[in-house]
Amino acid sequence: MSHIFFEILVDRSNEKGAIVFHEILTVLHRAFSYKDTQANFSFEIVKIGNRIRFFLRTPEKYAQFLTGQIYAHFHNIEILTVGDYLKNIPSSKLSV
């Protein structure tokens, strides 16, 4: 099953603050809790350089539904389709 990576950009002046990501996870959980149990999703919070960035990895077949759900709940969010961001980071710089 092929996957798509999205980067989720939130306007720094959003009124909800950091709680917006808790709400995104809640939306995702509700949307997919009764769907394909074999599907793997990943919501990743990453520091690259001096920026905190938010990535979502989803099976391709759910990409349109997923972005629609996020846009329906959060109007000031931008969602970009990106490649696997880990491929651009040297393994010596990766830590968990």
Side-chain angles (χ1 to χ4, degrees), residues 45-63:
I45 303 170
V46 181
K47 180 182 179 272
I48 299 176
N50 290 327
R51 292 183 50 213
I52 301 294
R53 297 171 68 180
F54 303 93
F55 294 95
L56 180 65
R57 179 182 172 265
T58 181
E60 216 173 306
K61 70 180 185 176
Y62 295 121

PDB file of all heavy atoms in Angstrom, residues 45-63:
ATOM      1  N   ILE A  45       5.642  14.931  14.808  1.00  0.00           N
ATOM      2  CA  ILE A  45       6.068  16.269  15.206  1.00  0.00           C
ATOM      3  C   ILE A  45       7.589  16.254  15.168  1.00  0.00           C
ATOM      4  O   ILE A  45       8.219  15.459  15.868  1.00  0.00           O
ATOM      5  CB  ILE A  45       5.555  16.623  16.615  1.00  0.00           C
ATOM      6  CG1 ILE A  45       4.032  16.504  16.651  1.00  0.00           C
ATOM      7  CG2 ILE A  45       6.020  18.016  17.012  1.00  0.00           C
ATOM      8  CD1 ILE A  45       3.439  16.594  18.034  1.00  0.00           C
ATOM      9  N   VAL A  46       8.173  17.106  14.331  1.00  0.00           N
ATOM     10  CA  VAL A  46       9.594  17.040  14.036  1.00  0.00           C
ATOM     11  C   VAL A  46      10.226  18.417  14.158  1.00  0.00           C
ATOM     12  O   VAL A  46       9.640  19.412  13.736  1.00  0.00           O
ATOM     13  CB  VAL A  46       9.805  16.518  12.590  1.00  0.00           C
ATOM     14  CG1 VAL A  46      11.271  16.404  12.259  1.00  0.00           C
ATOM     15  CG2 VAL A  46       9.087  15.195  12.376  1.00  0.00           C
ATOM     16  N   LYS A  47      11.425  18.460  14.728  1.00  0.00           N
ATOM     17  CA  LYS A  47      12.205  19.703  14.743  1.00  0.00           C
ATOM     18  C   LYS A  47      13.243  19.588  13.633  1.00  0.00           C
ATOM     19  O   LYS A  47      14.095  18.712  13.645  1.00  0.00           O
ATOM     20  CB  LYS A  47      12.897  19.908  16.080  1.00  0.00           C
ATOM     21  CG  LYS A  47      13.724  21.187  16.123  1.00  0.00           C
ATOM     22  CD  LYS A  47      14.415  21.304  17.464  1.00  0.00           C
ATOM     23  CE  LYS A  47      15.260  22.548  17.523  1.00  0.00           C
ATOM     24  NZ  LYS A  47      16.607  22.357  17.026  1.00  0.00           N
ATOM     25  N   ILE A  48      13.141  20.456  12.638  1.00  0.00           N
ATOM     26  CA  ILE A  48      14.100  20.505  11.541  1.00  0.00           C
ATOM     27  C   ILE A  48      14.669  21.919  11.537  1.00  0.00           C
ATOM     28  O   ILE A  48      13.930  22.893  11.373  1.00  0.00           O
ATOM     29  CB  ILE A  48      13.448  20.163  10.191  1.00  0.00           C
ATOM     30  CG1 ILE A  48      12.886  18.738  10.221  1.00  0.00           C
ATOM     31  CG2 ILE A  48      14.460  20.329   9.055  1.00  0.00           C
ATOM     32  CD1 ILE A  48      12.132  18.329   8.979  1.00  0.00           C
ATOM     33  N   GLY A  49      15.974  22.021  11.727  1.00  0.00           N
ATOM     34  CA  GLY A  49      16.581  23.343  11.884  1.00  0.00           C
ATOM     35  C   GLY A  49      16.052  23.944  13.169  1.00  0.00           C
ATOM     36  O   GLY A  49      16.070  23.320  14.222  1.00  0.00           O
ATOM     37  N   ASN A  50      15.526  25.138  13.086  1.00  0.00           N
ATOM     38  CA  ASN A  50      14.946  25.799  14.256  1.00  0.00           C
ATOM     39  C   ASN A  50      13.431  25.830  14.218  1.00  0.00           C
ATOM     40  O   ASN A  50      12.818  26.646  14.897  1.00  0.00           O
ATOM     41  CB  ASN A  50      15.497  27.229  14.372  1.00  0.00           C
ATOM     42  CG  ASN A  50      16.952  27.225  14.768  1.00  0.00           C
ATOM     43  OD1 ASN A  50      17.384  26.353  15.512  1.00  0.00           O
ATOM     44  ND2 ASN A  50      17.714  28.173  14.249  1.00  0.00           N
ATOM     45  N   ARG A  51      12.834  24.968  13.418  1.00  0.00           N
ATOM     46  CA  ARG A  51      11.376  24.961  13.272  1.00  0.00           C
ATOM     47  C   ARG A  51      10.779  23.644  13.742  1.00  0.00           C
ATOM     48  O   ARG A  51      11.338  22.585  13.513  1.00  0.00           O
ATOM     49  CB  ARG A  51      10.994  25.157  11.800  1.00  0.00           C
ATOM     50  CG  ARG A  51      11.325  26.525  11.270  1.00  0.00           C
ATOM     51  CD  ARG A  51      10.861  26.705   9.829  1.00  0.00           C
ATOM     52  NE  ARG A  51       9.481  26.310   9.643  1.00  0.00           N
ATOM     53  CZ  ARG A  51       9.025  25.773   8.517  1.00  0.00           C
ATOM     54  NH1 ARG A  51       9.817  25.542   7.496  1.00  0.00           N
ATOM     55  NH2 ARG A  51       7.754  25.452   8.401  1.00  0.00           N
ATOM     56  N   ILE A  52       9.628  23.735  14.389  1.00  0.00           N
ATOM     57  CA  ILE A  52       8.824  22.565  14.700  1.00  0.00           C
ATOM     58  C   ILE A  52       7.881  22.382  13.521  1.00  0.00           C
ATOM     59  O   ILE A  52       7.186  23.321  13.110  1.00  0.00           O
ATOM     60  CB  ILE A  52       8.002  22.759  15.993  1.00  0.00           C
ATOM     61  CG1 ILE A  52       8.927  23.031  17.183  1.00  0.00           C
ATOM     62  CG2 ILE A  52       7.105  21.557  16.236  1.00  0.00           C
ATOM     63  CD1 ILE A  52       9.807  21.876  17.570  1.00  0.00           C
ATOM     64  N   ARG A  53       7.859  21.167  12.964  1.00  0.00           N
ATOM     65  CA  ARG A  53       7.030  20.900  11.788  1.00  0.00           C
ATOM     66  C   ARG A  53       6.149  19.691  12.056  1.00  0.00           C
ATOM     67  O   ARG A  53       6.492  18.820  12.852  1.00  0.00           O
ATOM     68  CB  ARG A  53       7.923  20.680  10.568  1.00  0.00           C
ATOM     69  CG  ARG A  53       8.714  21.962  10.261  1.00  0.00           C
ATOM     70  CD  ARG A  53       9.764  21.785   9.236  1.00  0.00           C
ATOM     71  NE  ARG A  53       9.178  21.519   7.923  1.00  0.00           N
ATOM     72  CZ  ARG A  53       9.901  21.314   6.832  1.00  0.00           C
ATOM     73  NH1 ARG A  53      11.222  21.359   6.883  1.00  0.00           N
ATOM     74  NH2 ARG A  53       9.329  21.075   5.677  1.00  0.00           N
ATOM     75  N   PHE A  54       5.005  19.652  11.399  1.00  0.00           N
ATOM     76  CA  PHE A  54       4.001  18.614  11.622  1.00  0.00           C
ATOM     77  C   PHE A  54       3.761  17.870  10.313  1.00  0.00           C
ATOM     78  O   PHE A  54       3.416  18.481   9.294  1.00  0.00           O
ATOM     79  CB  PHE A  54       2.706  19.235  12.131  1.00  0.00           C
ATOM     80  CG  PHE A  54       2.909  20.035  13.385  1.00  0.00           C
ATOM     81  CD1 PHE A  54       3.154  21.399  13.322  1.00  0.00           C
ATOM     82  CD2 PHE A  54       2.883  19.426  14.626  1.00  0.00           C
ATOM     83  CE1 PHE A  54       3.360  22.142  14.472  1.00  0.00           C
ATOM     84  CE2 PHE A  54       3.099  20.154  15.782  1.00  0.00           C
ATOM     85  CZ  PHE A  54       3.335  21.517  15.700  1.00  0.00           C
ATOM     86  N   PHE A  55       3.921  16.555  10.366  1.00  0.00           N
ATOM     87  CA  PHE A  55       3.751  15.725   9.180  1.00  0.00           C
ATOM     88  C   PHE A  55       2.718  14.644   9.455  1.00  0.00           C
ATOM     89  O   PHE A  55       2.586  14.156  10.581  1.00  0.00           O
ATOM     90  CB  PHE A  55       5.075  15.060   8.792  1.00  0.00           C
ATOM     91  CG  PHE A  55       6.120  16.028   8.345  1.00  0.00           C
ATOM     92  CD1 PHE A  55       7.051  16.516   9.239  1.00  0.00           C
ATOM     93  CD2 PHE A  55       6.174  16.462   7.030  1.00  0.00           C
ATOM     94  CE1 PHE A  55       8.027  17.416   8.844  1.00  0.00           C
ATOM     95  CE2 PHE A  55       7.147  17.362   6.617  1.00  0.00           C
ATOM     96  CZ  PHE A  55       8.065  17.840   7.518  1.00  0.00           C
ATOM     97  N   LEU A  56       2.030  14.278   8.408  1.00  0.00           N
ATOM     98  CA  LEU A  56       1.044  13.216   8.472  1.00  0.00           C
ATOM     99  C   LEU A  56       1.326  12.249   7.338  1.00  0.00           C
ATOM    100  O   LEU A  56       1.477  12.661   6.193  1.00  0.00           O
ATOM    101  CB  LEU A  56      -0.358  13.807   8.328  1.00  0.00           C
ATOM    102  CG  LEU A  56      -1.513  12.847   8.362  1.00  0.00           C
ATOM    103  CD1 LEU A  56      -1.609  12.177   9.719  1.00  0.00           C
ATOM    104  CD2 LEU A  56      -2.800  13.580   8.068  1.00  0.00           C
ATOM    105  N   ARG A  57       1.441  10.968   7.663  1.00  0.00           N
ATOM    106  CA  ARG A  57       1.646   9.928   6.660  1.00  0.00           C
ATOM    107  C   ARG A  57       0.374   9.109   6.608  1.00  0.00           C
ATOM    108  O   ARG A  57      -0.100   8.623   7.635  1.00  0.00           O
ATOM    109  CB  ARG A  57       2.830   9.047   7.062  1.00  0.00           C
ATOM    110  CG  ARG A  57       3.111   7.914   6.113  1.00  0.00           C
ATOM    111  CD  ARG A  57       4.294   7.098   6.662  1.00  0.00           C
ATOM    112  NE  ARG A  57       4.502   5.897   5.910  1.00  0.00           N
ATOM    113  CZ  ARG A  57       4.012   4.704   6.226  1.00  0.00           C
ATOM    114  NH1 ARG A  57       3.265   4.564   7.300  1.00  0.00           N
ATOM    115  NH2 ARG A  57       4.273   3.654   5.476  1.00  0.00           N
ATOM    116  N   THR A  58      -0.196   8.974   5.415  1.00  0.00           N
ATOM    117  CA  THR A  58      -1.469   8.283   5.259  1.00  0.00           C
ATOM    118  C   THR A  58      -1.461   7.411   4.012  1.00  0.00           C
ATOM    119  O   THR A  58      -0.793   7.744   3.039  1.00  0.00           O
ATOM    120  CB  THR A  58      -2.634   9.299   5.182  1.00  0.00           C
ATOM    121  OG1 THR A  58      -3.864   8.594   5.045  1.00  0.00           O
ATOM    122  CG2 THR A  58      -2.486  10.244   4.013  1.00  0.00           C
ATOM    123  N   PRO A  59      -2.202   6.315   4.029  1.00  0.00           N
ATOM    124  CA  PRO A  59      -2.347   5.545   2.798  1.00  0.00           C
ATOM    125  C   PRO A  59      -2.971   6.428   1.710  1.00  0.00           C
ATOM    126  O   PRO A  59      -3.843   7.255   1.996  1.00  0.00           O
ATOM    127  CB  PRO A  59      -3.296   4.410   3.184  1.00  0.00           C
ATOM    128  CG  PRO A  59      -3.127   4.268   4.664  1.00  0.00           C
ATOM    129  CD  PRO A  59      -2.873   5.663   5.159  1.00  0.00           C
ATOM    130  N   GLU A  60      -2.508   6.239   0.500  1.00  0.00           N
ATOM    131  CA  GLU A  60      -2.958   7.067  -0.621  1.00  0.00           C
ATOM    132  C   GLU A  60      -4.477   7.065  -0.763  1.00  0.00           C
ATOM    133  O   GLU A  60      -5.080   8.091  -1.056  1.00  0.00           O
ATOM    134  CB  GLU A  60      -2.314   6.543  -1.904  1.00  0.00           C
ATOM    135  CG  GLU A  60      -1.957   7.613  -2.885  1.00  0.00           C
ATOM    136  CD  GLU A  60      -1.170   7.061  -4.050  1.00  0.00           C
ATOM    137  OE1 GLU A  60      -0.138   6.408  -3.813  1.00  0.00           O
ATOM    138  OE2 GLU A  60      -1.606   7.299  -5.183  1.00  0.00           O
ATOM    139  N   LYS A  61      -5.104   5.924  -0.533  1.00  0.00           N
ATOM    140  CA  LYS A  61      -6.559   5.837  -0.750  1.00  0.00           C
ATOM    141  C   LYS A  61      -7.360   6.694   0.240  1.00  0.00           C
ATOM    142  O   LYS A  61      -8.514   6.992   0.004  1.00  0.00           O
ATOM    143  CB  LYS A  61      -7.040   4.393  -0.734  1.00  0.00           C
ATOM    144  CG  LYS A  61      -6.997   3.702   0.603  1.00  0.00           C
ATOM    145  CD  LYS A  61      -7.508   2.279   0.447  1.00  0.00           C
ATOM    146  CE  LYS A  61      -7.615   1.555   1.754  1.00  0.00           C
ATOM    147  NZ  LYS A  61      -8.201   0.218   1.581  1.00  0.00           N
ATOM    148  N   TYR A  62      -6.750   7.111   1.355  1.00  0.00           N
ATOM    149  CA  TYR A  62      -7.448   7.953   2.327  1.00  0.00           C
ATOM    150  C   TYR A  62      -7.039   9.424   2.262  1.00  0.00           C
ATOM    151  O   TYR A  62      -7.555  10.239   3.023  1.00  0.00           O
ATOM    152  CB  TYR A  62      -7.193   7.450   3.747  1.00  0.00           C
ATOM    153  CG  TYR A  62      -7.764   6.089   4.021  1.00  0.00           C
ATOM    154  CD1 TYR A  62      -6.943   5.048   4.409  1.00  0.00           C
ATOM    155  CD2 TYR A  62      -9.126   5.843   3.882  1.00  0.00           C
ATOM    156  CE1 TYR A  62      -7.462   3.790   4.663  1.00  0.00           C
ATOM    157  CE2 TYR A  62      -9.647   4.594   4.129  1.00  0.00           C
ATOM    158  CZ  TYR A  62      -8.812   3.564   4.517  1.00  0.00           C
ATOM    159  OH  TYR A  62      -9.329   2.326   4.763  1.00  0.00           O
ATOM    160  N   ALA A  63      -6.127   9.779   1.387  1.00  0.00           N
ATOM    161  CA  ALA A  63      -5.561  11.133   1.371  1.00  0.00           C
ATOM    162  C   ALA A  63      -6.619  12.213   1.158  1.00  0.00           C
ATOM    163  O   ALA A  63      -6.661  13.201   1.896  1.00  0.00           O
ATOM    164  CB  ALA A  63      -4.477  11.238   0.307  1.00  0.00           C
TER     165      ALA A  63
END
